[in-house]
Amino acid sequence: RDSNIWLGTNSRGLLRLNAHGVFALGGSDAGMPDTIDAIFEDREGNVWAGGGSGLIRLRDSPFIAYSLPEGVPSSGGVPVFADSANRTWFAPVSGGLMWFRDEQRGRVSNEGIDRDLVYSIAGRNDDLWIGRQRGGLTHIHFQGASLRSTTYTQAEGLAQNSVYSVYEARDGTVWAGTLSGGVSHVAGRRVDTYGAADGLISNTVNSIVESPDGAMWFATPAGLSLFSQGRWQSFTTSEGLPSDDANCLLVDSGGVLWVGTAGGLAFRAPSGLKLPPGAPGSLREPILGIAEDGLGYFWVATTNHVLRVNRSKLQQGTLVDEDIREYGVADGLRGVEGVKRNRSVIEDSSGRIWVSLNRAIAMVDPARLINNTAPPIPNIEAISADGKVVSVRDGAHISGHTQRLTFDYAGLGLSSPERVRFRYMLEGFDHNWSERVDARQATYTNLSPASYRFRVAAANPDGIWSLRDATFAFEVDPLFWQTWWFRLSLLAACIMVIGALHHLRVTRLARQLNIRLEERVEERVRIARDLHDTLLQGFHGLMLRLQVVNDLLPQGRAKQQLEQTLERADQAMAEGRSAVYDLRSSATAPSDLALAVKGLADELATPGSAVFRLVVEGAARDLHSMIRDEFYRVTREALRNAFRHARARHIETEIIYGQRVFRVRIRDDGDGMPSEILEKGRPGHYGLRGMRERAEQIGAKLEIWSGPAAGAEIQLSIAGSIAYRTSRRRPLLGLFRKKAAGR
């Protein structure tokens, strides 16, 4: 794919032919077989070469590492800087200052730098500013092929000779942060020093940067300091920093300030300092260096990771897997541990990123990075149920006794197999995909009987997911007590038992109620007979005697008083006979309520009285005797009032046998009743009160509508489950409870 021609030889190993000529790759000393019998380029761009003595894989690495094997006298852990002439500067841990460009190398020995340890390198164009461990701040200027240098120390007003961080501002002045003496501002030969006493939050300055508005920011172990228009302002965790220990600073292409701290990354928003929402855990580690490339990505070095992150999505909190990339040894790095040095991650004038790590200085060109668009191929390798192997074939049946079902899977990715990531989902159990994991096994326990499908997808290090999922469909067979027929049989048995118990209870309650009803009827008949045979007969005889006395008395006041007494006695006798009639009516009244009401109307009607009409709706049903009696008495009282007092022309009674409600309505077009009589009744009369008491006694609802000259309508209703003997609901249960409470 890169237009190279690869040649396998019998004695010279592998050769590569392109526009630059022929290049021999290694040999037996480099692990390359001398005899190459086969060459193959896979779908990911790797070149495989094999011979009788072994197999090798060749792949392009995005990073180029510089350390001792490349002639750089340092194994890493040093500050790094790239100038406008594409020279890369670094300071070996043994001391001094060096640079390299292509195959050229150089060393600086001016001002005794070769005998001192360099902490920081900064500059612009042909100017370099060097922060030294003991020698203060040295300015190096290129003049043709020669170097000129000037050094600032405490003798020139520098805060301290140990300069840890250096920054050249846009106005050409230089800020030098020291290890413990504060920060110095160098403008020409003038040096101004600021420390904790002046408003700087700490005298140790780790990093310095200038914001677009000309304000200077200082990262210290105690927080963040801002110097603007001669005033100082400090920021700590109380203002939004994840940690007070700030290591590095960056102002991105959008003018936003980013702060790398010991507790992760933060940025300055209009509302203040804040953590990027949804940032991954790797960005919550100590941040040791950060730079931005020309494509809008951050390059971040932490204590354990080298990362490339989409800047805008990180700031917005919308990162997805494809927006963050982690690099490791497989990508050409010789280590992934960052170093705490001022400017340990930088961008050079060509847009390349340089990262100083613990084992080497690494360089990567973001413009040449091409995502590996060949995703891994997922495969389900093995399935086990409680340790027993299950055939990996769709439609497999798993015993319902299985407690632990394990899926082993893999993803075919030849470039970086150790960095293939997976996600999986068990359809029928999981609602969403799992988190991205590197484990190659998924386990489910105690699955219910059902049909399932296990799916697994794989992603390469660039976050490109496989086009197709590996799937396995299977069924968990139910145990016999989990089958539908067993559950249906159990449900039917429960319903039958409940129905039998309900029927038994209803029968028992009905029997008890009937016994009580019979006892009540017998008691009422006995009371009526005793009243008729004793009290009423004796009272009647007494009335006859008083009548004889009245006939013997001459006209006068005494005779007049006795006649009034006899009239009242007649009235009392009539009421007594009415009470006896009421007590015996349940035994004498017809069982058909409609027939009883018709007979009652015929009895109450007189020549010239109202026209009576009876309407029956629905099929007549057998009523419980007590319900029938009480409805009859209420109806009788209502009809009696209508015939005798309402002066009505038409009287109508409706008997409605509803499925759920049994009701009786009596309406007339007579004079009606005032509202106060509806509420309290007529003085000395108890008809309305008695009707309400009877309705309440049996659990019925009595409603009366009337008004002056508006006629009257009375409705008595009760639930069918109480009224009917043949109801499928609980007959008379509510009534029985009311009667029991009444007793």
Side-chain angles (χ1 to χ4, degrees), residues 334-574:
R334 292 176 184 166
V336 294
E337 183 180 341
V339 295
K340 187 173 182 179
R341 283 288 187 271
N342 182 242
R343 292 178 177 268
S344 63
V345 183
I346 63 166
E347 181 191 23
D348 66 16
S349 58
S350 300
R352 298 174 299 181
I353 299 295
W354 295 82
V355 185
S356 180
L357 300 170
N358 62 329
R359 294 188 178 181
I361 299 172
M363 184 272 291
V364 61
D365 187 353
R368 294 178 58 86
L369 282 176
I370 301 176
N371 283 345
N372 182 6
T373 56
I377 301 174
N379 182 55
I380 300 174
E381 296 187 319
I383 303 170
S384 62
D386 290 338
K388 297 181 180 179
V389 177
V390 177
S391 176
V392 188
R393 292 182 180 178
D394 283 348
H397 287 262
I398 308 297
S399 171
H401 290 285
T402 301
Q403 296 182 350
R404 185 182 182 89
L405 192 62
T406 303
F407 300 89
D408 293 298
Y409 48 83
L412 179 60
L414 300 178
S415 296
S416 302
E418 73 282 355
R419 297 178 63 186
V420 174
R421 297 295 180 263
F422 302 91
R423 64 184 182 187
Y424 58 85
M425 177 173 63
L426 183 61
E427 292 182 352
F429 182 83
D430 295 324
H431 297 290
N432 299 299
W433 286 97
S434 68
E435 297 293 331
R436 189 172 63 169
V437 297
D438 56 4
R440 286 163 166 76
Q441 188 179 85
T443 301
Y444 291 87
T445 58
N446 299 321
L447 292 176
S448 302
S451 296
Y452 299 94
R453 189 166 73 124
F454 180 74
R455 299 171 57 191
V456 60
N460 63 18
D462 292 311
I464 306 300
W465 288 96
S466 53
L467 300 178
R468 294 183 179 180
D469 306 334
T471 63
F472 171 66
F474 63 97
E475 291 187 12
V476 176
D477 295 331
L479 301 173
F480 80 91
W481 60 81
Q482 296 173 320
T483 58
W484 66 268
W485 58 264
F486 179 82
R487 293 177 177 176
L488 187 60
S489 301
L490 185 61
L491 178 61
C494 291
I495 293 175
M496 292 177 63
V497 171
I498 293 173
L501 292 175
H502 175 72
H503 180 71
L504 181 62
R505 176 173 177 79
V506 168
T507 303
R508 182 178 178 184
L509 290 176
R511 186 184 303 114
Q512 293 177 349
L513 181 61
N514 290 333
I515 293 174
R516 295 192 179 187
L517 287 175
E518 292 176 359
E519 292 176 350
R520 180 181 176 187
V521 170
E522 292 178 357
E523 180 69 12
R524 290 169 62 178
V525 171
R526 185 189 63 81
I527 294 173
R529 185 173 56 249
D530 291 345
L531 285 175
H532 182 271
D533 294 343
T534 58
L535 182 61
L536 291 180
Q537 292 293 341
F539 197 69
H540 185 68
L542 182 60
M543 288 288 296
L544 292 175
R545 290 178 177 269
L546 290 175
Q547 185 65 44
V548 171
V549 173
N550 182 54
D551 293 339
L552 296 176
L553 286 176
Q555 293 295 331
R557 184 179 180 86
K559 184 177 182 63
Q560 184 179 3
Q561 291 292 330
L562 184 57
E563 287 178 349
Q564 292 178 359
T565 302
L566 288 173
E567 289 178 0
R568 292 181 182 177
D570 286 339
Q571 184 178 356
M573 285 287 291

Side-chain angles (χ1 to χ4, degrees), residues 23 60 143 181 193 233 292 316 336 347 391 485-486 499 609 646:
F23 179 74
D60 288 332
Q143 195 169 33
T193 297
Q233 184 178 358
E292 183 183 8
Q316 296 167 7
V336 294
E347 181 191 23
S391 176
W485 58 264
F486 179 82
S609 63

Side-chain angles (χ1 to χ4, degrees), residues 1 70 183 185 187 191 206 222-223 251 302 361-362 377 471 500 511 636 706 739:
R1 67 178 62 183
E70 288 74 31
V183 64
H185 184 210
V191 179
N206 294 329
V251 175
T302 74
I361 299 172
I377 301 174
T471 63
R511 186 184 303 114
R636 184 182 63 188
S706 183
K739 293 292 293 177

Side-chain angles (χ1 to χ4, degrees), residues 16 101 107 122 141 281 288 308 336 397 511 538 553 681:
R16 182 181 65 191
R101 179 174 59 187
R107 183 184 292 271
H141 176 70
L288 303 179
R308 182 177 185 241
V336 294
H397 287 262
R511 186 184 303 114
L553 286 176

Side-chain angles (χ1 to χ4, degrees), residues 129-144:
W129 293 88
I130 312 299
R132 302 164 57 176
Q133 185 184 47
R134 298 182 301 273
L137 177 67
T138 298
H139 179 211
I140 297 176
H141 176 70
F142 282 87
Q143 195 169 33

